[in-house]
Amino acid sequence: GREKVLYEANKFGYQIDRPCKFDSLQLEPEQNLEIDINIRRLWIAKQPKGSNHCYLRYRFYDKTTTISQTFSPRRNEGNRMVFDTEYKKSCQVYPSSAFEWYLQEERLELQVWQTKSKSTVPVIPSAEDNLLGTACVNLHEMCGFYEYQEPQIAGVYPLFRAGVTSLGGNCVEIEISIHQPTEIQMLERNSLTAGESTR
């Protein structure tokens, strides 16, 4: 797992206990950072057979794998279908040295799957689903806060698939940002935690 990788990296000079770039933040003890992942749009080549429905699948840092609901194309642009997904998922991460290492050294891999299912809730993957491609997003630019601007990555990323030289222009528009939770978000999170502790 990640702990083994960090252990091996430490032997080659990476100091996991070094001062973290996030230490300059004025955070309360045990306060987390808010991560927003927004997948705005997909461009997928028209499929010669099968369903036009698709869903997203990815894993960020140490969180469980995220699987979206299904999306249907809204319009066509030439030989490509356009999916206005506007899919947004938020999570909280403790600003540790391990998280800093993750941002510097790893990539977010977003998979796009074709499916016959049509669901408004997270899809249960099927053996009949077809991987359309994977977008790889380097996260190192997000490592550290700036005086007047919080880290953000935004762009259109092509999809790749092993053994396929061309996917017909398949791509995805992604926006990822890191910010300190607002007071309202902190109060809501603390309220949920308090409620769970009384059960």
Side-chain angles (χ1 to χ4, degrees):
R2 182 168 286 103
E3 292 76 15
K4 183 178 180 180
V5 173
L6 292 175
Y7 173 77
E8 294 296 329
N10 190 58
K11 292 195 298 185
F12 287 94
Y14 182 87
Q15 299 297 320
I16 190 61
D17 295 325
R18 65 182 175 155
C20 177
K21 291 183 180 180
F22 295 117
D23 288 343
S24 60
L25 298 176
Q26 300 299 315
L27 297 174
E28 299 294 330
E30 304 302 320
Q31 182 178 339
N32 293 329
L33 296 171
E34 193 85 11
I35 315 297
D36 292 333
I37 299 176
N38 192 349
I39 295 93
R40 297 186 178 279
R41 193 169 290 107
L42 292 169
W43 290 266
I44 302 296
K46 294 178 181 178
Q47 302 301 303
K49 60 180 180 178
S51 170
N52 286 331
H53 306 307
C54 67
Y55 64 90
L56 311 168
R57 181 171 181 162
Y58 67 90
R59 184 181 180 187
F60 184 83
Y61 190 43
D62 59 355
K63 307 303 176 184
T64 58
T65 299
T66 296
I67 302 176
S68 74
Q69 72 273 25
T70 57
F71 302 101
S72 301
R74 297 297 183 186
R75 61 187 183 280
N76 293 328
E77 289 183 359
N79 292 325
R80 296 188 301 177
M81 302 176 292
V82 181
F83 298 74
D84 295 320
T85 54
E86 294 296 343
Y87 178 81
K88 185 174 182 179
K89 184 78 172 181
S90 299
C91 64
Q92 289 202 345
V93 172
Y94 183 71
S96 63
S97 294
F99 179 54
E100 180 185 337
W101 183 89
Y102 168 80
L103 293 178
Q104 288 179 331
E105 304 296 336
E106 297 198 25
R107 301 178 302 180
L108 175 68
E109 296 187 356
L110 173 73
Q111 297 179 340
V112 180
W113 288 81
Q114 178 188 27
T115 180
K116 294 180 180 179
S117 171
K118 188 175 182 180
S119 174
T120 57
V121 297
V123 174
I124 299 176
S126 166
E128 296 181 354
D129 296 344
N130 176 43
L131 177 63
L132 295 177
T134 302
C136 298
V137 183
N138 289 319
L139 303 172
H140 62 271
E141 293 181 5
M142 305 187 71
C143 190
F145 273 61
Y146 305 94
E147 186 174 359
Y148 299 109
Q149 184 177 1
E150 295 174 340
Q152 178 177 336
I153 293 176
V156 176
Y157 297 84
L159 300 186
F160 298 96
R161 194 172 71 212
V164 180
T165 57
S166 175
L167 293 178
N170 290 358
C171 55
V172 55
E173 183 180 357
I174 305 174
E175 180 182 294
I176 307 173
S177 60
I178 303 177
H179 58 89
Q180 299 184 54
T182 63
E183 291 186 10
I184 293 177
Q185 289 173 324
M186 292 175 59
L187 289 172
E188 290 177 346
R189 198 71 70 165
N190 291 337
S191 177
L192 288 173
T193 303
E196 291 173 356
S197 63
T198 57
R199 293 177 184 175

